[in-house]
């Protein structure tokens, strides 16, 4: 559908990627079959303020799109081109159908335009791109849409379908309040359905808006239509009356009425949900339609239902009924079904004395009365299935909207809409509509923080906005400070008729004792989410029993289930739980619950860490035999568990660091380091190790200190701080030798080898790796042995021993697809490709490196190296554009992941590729940056490589004196390390 960028295959949505990726795809599809240049894409994404890496960012997005949509995107001399059948793109289908509307055949023209407009869904490129994109692409596309809508309305009016025009244009004229042609058709349609007063009111609305906003009068055609309607005071001049009327009308004792509450003018967000409800109401389904709108207190259920009712008013000419069932209302009992039926029957004209006594008889009369009617019923604030079931109409042409805090399980044939909180942009939109956009724009950052404190809860946002309306001197910064005080937050979120705490309390009061205890314990959990097994530990019960309790809380919208068997409390509901728990829970009970949950995390994280790779310091299995136990079968399940709980694990490390236990903090930090490293979570990796290190030092744990120093060394190495890394690892090695921890010593040596390799100390690196291999062989540890042999192959590559590196790597790959060796296989595939490149076997190199790219997709560290090595291979084959794209992809991955361990190396290779392609100015800039970065970090080997490449650039880019100095420095480093690059440096010096 034309709107937000989306892709579908056989009715199933396909992932399109993030905002930039969607923007690039959308632009290519708009110009399908034509070139879209880099400059165009840069302007579409960033207007006039692109980053320096703009082209490489676009290349990365295109690379991802090519993997998602193979064969569609082609590279052109200046950019890219989408080679796609226009019939598969909604925009081009829309244009073909629109252009095929023949004015000579109104029926067919109307049908084609109807089909064309079905291609639209929302605003094109919504949520992506820049202001330049909106004015150059989006705005013209919207003009095409509204022109087609106007043509459709014109044909429909000519064919006497005024009712359809009113229904279709009602929501549109609210979106486009200044489009006079659309208003002309809308007012004409109202008049032709007999709604003369409504037509005159609609004219007055646009006349006032044009005068207030633009200072102009309506165009002559609209003014003439107004005059014609005013003068139409005879039956010959006035079109026949339609069925709808603004006043109650009795037809065969049936009263037509509109009981909907006032539609608020500042409705914001929920657009897709509103469109869904309107779609349900306007569908041709020949059954009684029912839609349940569920959500927590204050989530905007009633507001949404009322807005949908007003949007649908012309589709239900027999009336719109609204009744509050008082399911969650302070100091009121829920309305029983008999009383509700009595009120509804009286509303449609059944005299009080004719009402049956029993619920069954009233239900039967209600359904019989509605037979043949087109009626909308809103059942607001329902409490249970038993309350609403007797009230549901069964007549075709009826729509019932039910708002509730319960899931009302048992209602069959029903649409369910569950309201989450408003997103940040929708929440800001709501504040802007109440307070004025300028006020929000001036303090956008502070307003955004207020939105986050409110958790996107519409009721909380409306209370904040209401208080600020009455206090014009209040700023968002002032409101943020008031809301940030936990003790007064709920006092700030109440005003006349609106009270966030009271809204949550109504749901809390509906719980039984066991549910209340569970709700209060969830308020003190460690972390922000909890899975079923963690909740079982927290609540101290079997998973099946815990599941029943949790689902009960989900059912009344006090607990969210963002993923299967994963739960969280909304921010304000969590505040309520903690506030109530401070008085209703014993402190010892809360701490015991937190301790059980932390031990559950300890157990599962240790098991997950064992599945990710060899370990020197496995944690104690304190939760062994626990009835809360969560089993992990393989590496993929371990990664999925860490993915889901990575932030919670960080909170558990905080919990243990602040406590009195000696070992738990460092054991938790040690369990998660490999996952953080593989996912490029450098911030979490570093902070978790720092906290554990401080805890170990405070408690005098030498083993804990040594283990966390290794973790710190790894974190600093991956962040490109090699001197710090070396210092941490050497100190860890000293402590472990004092402790006689042989396995720990080997681990320290393995990580020292990594730092030595990055800093060009290849002899030291080789010595460390060989010691680790000897240990692994002696212990029969095949996984560790294979991993280190793959690392030794890296050393051989740097030493120019390409055949030995190739043989070692092929030996690793020959071991087969053992999951425990995945990381080693990725490393081996990389070295096979690099060795074949060095040996001149380019086709073999391409094949091996493409396999490596596929193997390590999603693993930011290895993926970066794979793309860079493929770039080197492409350079060797003279495929310079492809080489540059691969190097840039590697840099983008490094930037995105925070892994800074190899960006100087990648920049050096990119500069060498520019040089080989004759792009000497770009080569110089890139190599100078690589050289400065390598010097700063102590990467002597990379600095020497960058110097050698820079010295090879022609004068005047690099003059002879500068080149001689660069080559002399490079030669010194190469000779000290005994590297084959020394010969190239000597030859280059001779040629100067």
């Amino acid at each position: 559908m034309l709107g937000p960028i989306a892709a579908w295959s056989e009715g199933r949505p396909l992932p399109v990627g993030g905002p930039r990726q969607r923007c690039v795809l959308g632009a290519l599809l708009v110009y399908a079959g034509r070139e879209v240049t880099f400059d165009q894409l840069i302007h579409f994404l960033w207007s006039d303020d692109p980053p320096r890496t703009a082209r490489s960012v676009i290349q990365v997005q295109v690379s991802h799109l090519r993997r998602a949509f193979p064969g569609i995107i082609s590279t052109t001399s200046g950019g890219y081109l989408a080679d796609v059948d226009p019939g598969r793109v909604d925009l081009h289908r829309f244009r073909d159908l629109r252009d095929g509307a023949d004015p000579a055949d109104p029926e067919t023209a109307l049908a084609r335009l109807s089909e064309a407009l079905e291609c639209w869904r929302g605003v094109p490129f919504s949520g992506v791109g820049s202001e330049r994109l909106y004015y150059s692409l989006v705005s013209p596309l919207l003009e095409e849409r509204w022109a087609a809508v106007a043509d459709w309305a014109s044909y429909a009016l000519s064919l006497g379908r005024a009712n359809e025009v009113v229904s279709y244009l009602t929501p549109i004229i609210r979106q486009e309040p200044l489009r006079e042609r659309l208003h002309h058709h809308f007012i004409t349609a109202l008049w032709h359905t007999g709604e003369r007063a409504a037509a005159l009111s609609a004219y007055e609305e646009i006349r006032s808006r044009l005068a207030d906003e633009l200072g102009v009068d309506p165009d002559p055609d609209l003014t003439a239509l107004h005059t014609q309607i005013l003068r139409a005071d005879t039956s010959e001049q006035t079109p026949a009356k339609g069925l709808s009327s603004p006043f109650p009308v009795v037809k065969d004792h049936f009263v037509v009425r509109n009981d909907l509450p006032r539609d608020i003018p500042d409705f914001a967000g929920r657009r897709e949900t509103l469109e869904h409800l309107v779609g349900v109401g306007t569908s041709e389904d020949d059954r009684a339609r029912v839609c349940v709108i569920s959500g927590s207190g204050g989530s905007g259920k009633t507001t949404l239902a009322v807005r949908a009712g007003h949007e649908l008013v012309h589709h239900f000419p027999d009336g719109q009924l609204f009744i509050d069932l008082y399911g969650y209302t302070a100091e009121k009992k829920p309305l029983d079904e008999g009383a509700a039926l009595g009120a509804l029957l009286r509303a449609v004209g059944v005299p009080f004395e004719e009402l049956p006594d029993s619920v069954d008889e009233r239900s039967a009369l209600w359904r019989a009365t509605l037979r043949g009617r087109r009626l909308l019923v809103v059942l607001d604030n329902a409490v249970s299935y038993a309350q609403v079931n007797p009230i549901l109409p069964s007549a075709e042409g009826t729509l019932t909207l039910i708002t509730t805090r319960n899931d009302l399980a048992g209602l069959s044939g029903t649409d369910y809409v569950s309201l989450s909180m408003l997103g940040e942009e929708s929440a800001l939109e709501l504040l802007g509509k109440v307070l004025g956009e300028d006020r929000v724009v001036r303090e956008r950052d502070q307003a955004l923080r207020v939105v986050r404190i409110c958790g996107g809860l519409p009721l909380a946002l409306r209370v904040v906005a209401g208080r600020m309306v009455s206090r014009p001197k209040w700023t968002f910064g002032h409101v943020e400070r008031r809301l940030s005080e936990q003790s007064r937050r709920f006092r700030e979120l109440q005003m006349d008729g609106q009270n966030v705490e009271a809204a949550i309390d109504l749901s809390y009061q509906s719980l039984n004792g066991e549910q209340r205890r569970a709700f209060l314990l969830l308020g003190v959990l460690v972390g922000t989410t909890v899975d079923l097994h963690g909740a079982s530990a927290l609540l101290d019960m079997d998973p099946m029993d815990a599941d029943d309790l949790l689902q009960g809380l989900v059912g009344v919208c006090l607990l969210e289930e963002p993923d299967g068997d994963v739960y969280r409390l909304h921010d304000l509901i969590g505040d309520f739980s903690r506030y109530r728990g401070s008085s209703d829970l014993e402190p010892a009970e809360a701490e015991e619950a937190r301790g059980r949950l932390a031990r559950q995390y300890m157990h599962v994280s240790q098991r997950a860490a064992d599945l990710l790779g060899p370990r020197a310091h496995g944690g104690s299995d304190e939760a062994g035999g626990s009835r809360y136990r969560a089993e992990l079968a393989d590496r993929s399940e371990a990664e999925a568990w860490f993915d889901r709980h990575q932030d919670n694990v960080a909170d558990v490390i905080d919990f243990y660091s602040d406590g009195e236990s000696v070992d738990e903090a460092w054991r938790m930090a040690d369990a998660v380091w490999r996952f953080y490293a593989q996912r490029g979570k450098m911030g979490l990796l570093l902070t978790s190790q720092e906290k554990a290190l401080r805890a170990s030092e405070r408690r005098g744990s030498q083993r804990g200190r040594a283990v966390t120093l290794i973790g710190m060394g790894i974190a600093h190495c991956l962040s490109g701080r090699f001197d710090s890394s070396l210092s941490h690892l050497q100190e860890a090695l000293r402590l472990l030798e004092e402790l006689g921890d042989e396995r720990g010593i080997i681990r320290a040596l393995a990580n020292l080898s990594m730092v030595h390799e990055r800093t060009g100390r290849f002899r030291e690196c080789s010595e460390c790796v060989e010691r680790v291999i000897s240990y692994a062989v002696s212990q029969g540890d095949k996984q560790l042995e294979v991993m280190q042999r793959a690392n030794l192959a890296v050393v051989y590559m740097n030493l120019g021993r390409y055949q030995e590196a190739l043989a070692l790597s092929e030996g690793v790959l020959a071991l087969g697809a053992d999951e425990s060796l995945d990381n080693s296989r990725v490393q081996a595939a990389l070295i096979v490709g690099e060795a074949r490149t060095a040996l001149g076997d380019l086709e073999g190199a391409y094949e091996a490196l493409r396999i490596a790219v596929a193997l390590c997709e999603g693993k930011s560290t290895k993926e970066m190296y794979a793309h860079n090595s493929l770039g080197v291979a492409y350079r060797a084959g003279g495929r310079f554009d492809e080489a540059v794209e691969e190097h840039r992809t590697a840099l983008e991955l490094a930037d995105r992941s925070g892994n800074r361990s190899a960006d100087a190396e990648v920049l050096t290779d990119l500069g060498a590729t520019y040089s080989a392609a004759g792009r000497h100015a770009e080569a110089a800039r890139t190599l100078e940056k690589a050289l400065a970065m390598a010097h700063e970090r102590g990467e002597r080997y990379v600095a020497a490589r960058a110097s050698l490449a820079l010295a090879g650039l022609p004068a005047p880019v690099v003059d002879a004196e500068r080149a001689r100095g660069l080559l002399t420095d490079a030669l010194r480093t190469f000779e000290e390390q005994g590297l084959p690059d020394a010969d190239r440096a000597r030859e280059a010096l001779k040629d100067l």
Side-chain angles (χ1 to χ4, degrees):
M1 300 291 284
L2 245 176
I5 308 303
W8 300 77
S9 175
E10 298 178 353
R12 294 180 294 103
L14 299 176
V16 182
R20 290 176 181 170
Q21 202 164 307
R22 296 201 306 274
C23 181
V24 171
L25 177 63
L28 294 174
L29 292 178
V30 167
Y31 294 103
R34 289 182 287 163
E35 180 187 62
V36 182
T37 67
F38 270 110
D39 286 343
Q40 286 177 293
L41 291 172
I42 288 170
H43 287 312
F44 291 160
L45 284 166
W46 296 285
S47 289
D48 297 319
D49 188 27
R52 290 181 293 105
T53 58
R55 288 176 70 93
S56 66
V57 170
I58 291 171
Q59 288 168 332
V60 170
Q61 308 311 318
V62 170
S63 176
H64 291 316
L65 286 169
R66 280 174 167 156
R67 287 198 291 272
F69 305 99
I72 286 181
I73 301 176
S74 303
T75 301
T76 64
S77 59
Y80 300 99
L81 173 149
D83 186 9
V84 61
D85 177 7
R88 297 172 62 192
V89 181
D90 284 322
L91 170 63
H92 302 296
R93 286 186 61 249
F94 160 76
R95 287 171 171 169
D96 288 344
L97 289 162
R98 176 200 62 192
D99 295 343
D102 183 2
D105 184 1
E107 285 280 3
T108 304
L110 185 66
R112 291 186 71 87
L113 284 170
S114 296
E115 189 178 352
L117 291 170
E118 286 176 1
C119 295
W120 281 86
R121 185 194 58 167
V123 178
F125 291 89
S126 58
V128 305
S130 65
E131 186 175 328
R132 177 76 64 89
L133 173 80
Y134 181 83
Y135 288 111
S136 58
L137 273 190
V138 177
S139 184
L141 291 176
L142 290 174
E143 292 300 325
E144 292 186 53
R145 179 188 184 181
W146 302 133
V149 168
D151 289 343
W152 176 89
S154 180
Y155 285 121
L157 286 170
S158 72
L159 294 168
R161 300 185 183 179
N163 278 314
E164 294 178 41
V165 175
V166 171
S167 299
Y168 190 73
L169 291 186
T170 296
I172 291 175
I173 62 165
R174 289 196 177 109
Q175 297 175 46
E176 299 292 323
L178 299 178
R179 292 189 180 274
E180 294 178 81
R181 187 181 174 200
L182 292 181
H183 280 265
H184 190 289
H185 290 318
F186 178 64
I187 294 167
T188 301
L190 285 171
W191 183 37
H192 279 263
T193 58
E195 296 288 351
R196 182 169 179 250
L200 292 171
S201 176
Y203 171 82
E204 179 58 26
E205 186 175 336
I206 187 173
R207 187 202 64 75
S208 298
R209 189 178 291 273
L210 288 169
D212 292 345
E213 297 188 18
L214 302 178
V216 299
D217 293 323
D219 68 29
D221 288 344
L222 203 50
T223 304
L225 174 62
H226 178 243
T227 303
Q228 186 180 3
I229 296 171
L230 285 173
R231 292 176 178 171
D233 53 5
T234 68
S235 58
E236 290 81 10
Q237 292 172 302
T238 303
K241 292 278 186 185
L243 290 175
S244 56
S245 169
F247 305 104
V249 177
V250 177
K251 302 186 299 184
D252 299 329
H253 306 294
F254 187 89
V255 175
V256 177
R257 56 192 286 166
N258 185 337
D259 291 343
L260 293 174
R262 181 179 70 93
D263 185 18
I264 62 171
D266 48 24
F267 183 89
R270 312 288 193 211
R271 289 185 179 83
E272 289 188 7
T273 308
L274 179 62
E275 288 175 9
H276 174 76
L277 293 178
V278 172
V280 171
T282 56
S283 72
E284 300 298 324
D285 196 345
D286 56 351
R287 62 183 175 91
R289 287 154 286 166
V290 179
C291 188
V292 175
I293 306 169
S294 65
S296 61
S299 60
K301 303 179 294 295
T302 301
T303 299
L304 175 65
V306 170
R307 167 52 65 96
H310 282 287
E311 296 274 352
L312 292 165
V313 68
H314 292 287
H315 288 275
F316 296 97
D318 289 308
Q320 302 82 36
L321 302 182
F322 180 96
I323 184 169
D324 189 344
L325 299 178
Y326 300 127
Y328 293 89
T329 305
E331 300 177 0
K332 281 184 180 285
K333 292 183 178 180
L335 196 64
D336 69 65
E337 52 270 31
L341 283 165
L344 290 167
L345 284 166
R346 291 195 302 274
V348 296
V350 177
F352 179 82
E353 60 274 12
E354 295 181 15
L355 291 177
D357 291 332
S358 74
V359 171
D360 289 344
E361 289 177 313
R362 288 187 177 190
S363 182
L365 178 60
W366 167 244
R367 287 172 176 139
T369 303
L370 299 189
R371 189 171 297 116
R373 307 291 182 184
R374 292 184 57 80
L375 189 74
L376 169 67
V377 182
V378 179
L379 305 178
D380 187 45
N381 205 5
V383 71
S384 66
Y385 166 79
Q387 185 187 36
V388 301
N389 189 51
I391 309 174
L392 296 179
S394 59
E396 297 177 8
T398 58
L399 171 65
T400 305
L401 301 178
I402 305 170
T403 72
T404 180
R405 300 188 190 191
N406 292 337
D407 53 17
L408 299 188
L411 286 179
S412 59
T414 302
D415 266 300
Y416 282 89
V417 171
S418 179
L419 295 190
S420 58
M421 300 302 106
L422 291 178
E424 290 180 352
E425 292 303 319
S426 294
L428 291 174
E429 179 190 353
L430 188 156
L431 293 174
K433 286 188 174 183
V434 178
L435 299 171
E437 290 184 11
D438 289 347
R439 194 169 176 183
V440 175
V441 169
R442 278 198 307 271
E443 288 190 273
R444 179 181 170 85
D445 290 344
Q446 292 92 334
L448 200 54
R449 288 196 286 273
V450 168
V451 164
R452 288 167 182 162
I453 292 173
C454 294
L457 184 71
L459 175 60
L461 293 166
R462 288 197 175 279
V463 171
V464 166
R467 288 168 69 84
M468 292 184 72
V469 163
S470 61
R471 297 164 176 80
K473 293 188 180 298
W474 276 20
T475 65
F476 279 107
H478 178 69
V479 172
E480 180 196 356
R481 287 191 295 275
R482 296 174 72 93
L483 289 174
S484 295
E485 297 178 28
Q486 291 280 352
S487 59
R488 65 183 296 172
R489 180 169 298 168
F490 282 117
R491 293 203 305 274
E492 293 296 318
L493 293 176
Q494 59 179 290
M495 61 183 210
D496 292 344
Q498 294 179 311
N499 187 324
V500 172
E501 182 180 8
I504 300 170
D505 188 56
L506 285 168
S507 294
Y508 177 71
Q509 295 301 330
S510 73
L511 303 177
N512 62 37
E514 194 175 29
Q515 289 173 325
R516 289 187 185 185
R517 174 183 175 273
F519 175 69
L520 297 179
L521 286 176
L522 285 165
V524 299
L525 63 82
V526 181
T528 55
T529 65
V530 67
D531 63 12
L532 176 58
H533 295 282
S536 300
L538 184 77
L539 304 178
D540 194 20
M541 58 178 56
D542 292 330
M544 293 299 292
D545 295 331
D547 188 40
D548 291 339
L549 269 182
L550 295 169
Q551 288 303 316
L553 295 174
V554 171
V556 295
C557 297
L558 281 175
L559 186 64
E560 298 174 354
E561 190 175 10
D563 201 358
D565 286 341
V566 176
Y567 305 93
R568 70 176 294 273
L569 291 171
H570 177 270
D571 296 346
L572 290 176
I573 293 176
D575 288 342
F576 177 92
S577 173
R578 287 182 286 277
Y579 172 72
R580 185 61 59 92
S582 66
S583 59
D584 293 1
L585 273 181
E586 290 292 334
E589 183 181 13
E591 278 309 300
E592 286 171 8
R594 286 163 61 83
R596 285 193 302 271
L597 177 57
R599 288 191 294 275
Q600 168 72 1
Y601 276 117
M602 172 69 80
H603 159 66
V604 184
S605 66
Q606 298 299 326
R607 170 61 179 157
D610 287 338
L611 291 167
L612 291 188
R615 304 177 64 211
H617 299 96
S620 62
D621 188 0
E622 295 187 29
S626 164
R627 56 183 169 143
Y628 328 124
R629 195 177 186 111
E631 293 295 346
L632 300 175
D634 53 31
R635 180 190 183 88
S636 62
E637 288 188 9
E639 289 181 340
W641 188 86
F642 273 131
D643 260 326
R644 182 177 293 162
H645 296 290
Q646 55 187 287
D647 293 322
N648 295 333
V649 168
D651 287 341
V652 174
I653 294 170
D654 286 343
F655 173 80
Y656 279 133
S657 297
D658 295 337
E660 296 303 320
S661 300
V662 175
D663 292 337
E664 284 83 349
W666 71 258
R667 289 188 185 280
M668 281 295 296
D670 189 54
V672 77
W673 77 265
R674 193 188 302 274
F675 173 80
Y676 284 157
Q678 289 174 353
R679 286 292 193 275
K681 305 285 184 180
M682 295 304 135
L684 284 173
L685 174 57
L686 191 56
T687 57
S688 64
Q689 299 298 323
E690 286 174 341
K691 289 172 183 175
L693 180 61
R694 285 196 295 271
S696 294
E697 289 174 340
R698 189 168 65 249
R699 295 166 194 149
S701 171
Q702 292 296 83
R703 190 179 306 279
R705 186 163 175 262
V707 173
T708 47
L709 281 169
I710 291 176
M712 294 280 287
I714 293 168
H716 281 286
C717 177
L718 294 177
S719 301
R721 295 187 287 271
F722 299 111
D723 287 344
S724 297
S725 175
L726 194 63
S727 173
H728 287 311
L729 290 169
Q730 288 172 337
E731 174 66 7
L733 180 61
R734 183 187 65 77
L735 287 171
L736 290 164
E737 286 173 340
E738 289 178 2
L739 291 168
D741 183 345
E742 187 177 15
R743 182 76 176 178
I745 292 168
I746 292 303
R747 182 185 177 197
L749 288 170
N751 285 287
L752 274 168
S753 73
M754 178 172 64
V755 181
H756 288 321
E757 188 272 329
R758 294 308 313 152
T759 53
R761 298 179 176 92
F762 298 117
R763 292 194 198 91
E764 294 92 329
C765 175
S766 180
E767 289 170 4
C768 289
V769 172
E770 286 169 354
R771 280 184 66 184
V772 177
I773 291 174
S774 296
Y775 172 82
V777 171
S778 71
Q779 299 296 311
D781 189 337
K782 195 68 176 177
Q783 189 178 3
L784 179 60
E785 179 190 350
V786 169
M787 178 186 294
Q788 294 305 315
R789 290 195 184 281
N791 289 336
L792 187 58
V794 175
V795 179
Y796 286 166
M797 275 298 301
N798 287 311
L799 294 172
R801 296 160 63 176
Y802 305 129
Q803 290 289 2
E804 292 170 89
L806 182 62
L808 262 180
S809 300
E810 287 180 336
V812 171
L813 292 175
L815 293 173
D818 182 337
E819 190 183 62
S820 67
L821 304 178
D822 276 356
N823 278 331
S824 300
R825 292 179 67 244
V826 170
Q827 179 86 336
L830 267 171
I831 298 302
V832 167
E834 292 174 359
R836 291 193 183 282
T837 300
L839 294 168
D841 178 11
L842 295 182
E843 290 304 319
Y846 300 152
E847 181 181 357
L849 290 168
R850 286 172 188 143
I851 290 172
V853 167
L855 283 172
C856 63
E857 186 169 6
K859 300 178 177 68
S860 58
T861 305
K862 298 296 184 185
E863 191 174 8
M864 170 180 61
Y865 286 115
H867 282 286
N868 187 59
S869 296
L870 185 55
V872 173
Y874 281 145
R875 178 179 74 218
R879 297 163 63 171
F880 300 124
D881 288 344
E882 291 166 277
V884 167
E885 186 169 339
E886 293 297 331
H887 294 316
R888 285 176 170 171
T889 298
L891 289 170
E892 171 73 12
L893 287 166
D895 184 63
R896 197 163 63 211
S897 69
N899 185 332
R900 320 306 309 182
S901 62
D903 44 6
E905 177 183 342
V906 176
L907 283 168
T908 299
D909 284 323
L910 175 60
T913 297
Y914 280 143
S915 177
R919 296 161 63 173
H920 297 131
E922 291 168 280
R925 286 195 298 271
T926 305
L927 290 168
E928 292 282 12
K929 183 177 180 180
L931 182 59
M933 190 179 292
H935 278 315
E936 181 182 348
R937 296 176 181 174
E939 292 182 83
R940 295 183 62 214
Y941 176 59
V942 175
R945 286 188 58 224
S947 297
L948 181 60
L950 194 57
L953 294 175
V957 177
V958 175
D959 60 39
E961 185 177 349
R962 174 87 194 286
R964 186 174 291 103
L966 289 167
L967 288 171
T968 300
D969 291 342
L971 179 59
R972 185 182 305 115
T973 298
F974 294 146
E975 285 179 337
E976 287 175 5
Q977 296 296 328
L979 300 176
D981 301 270
D983 292 336
R984 290 178 53 207
R986 288 191 201 94
E987 290 299 319
L989 275 170
K990 289 179 184 177
D991 293 339
L992 279 179

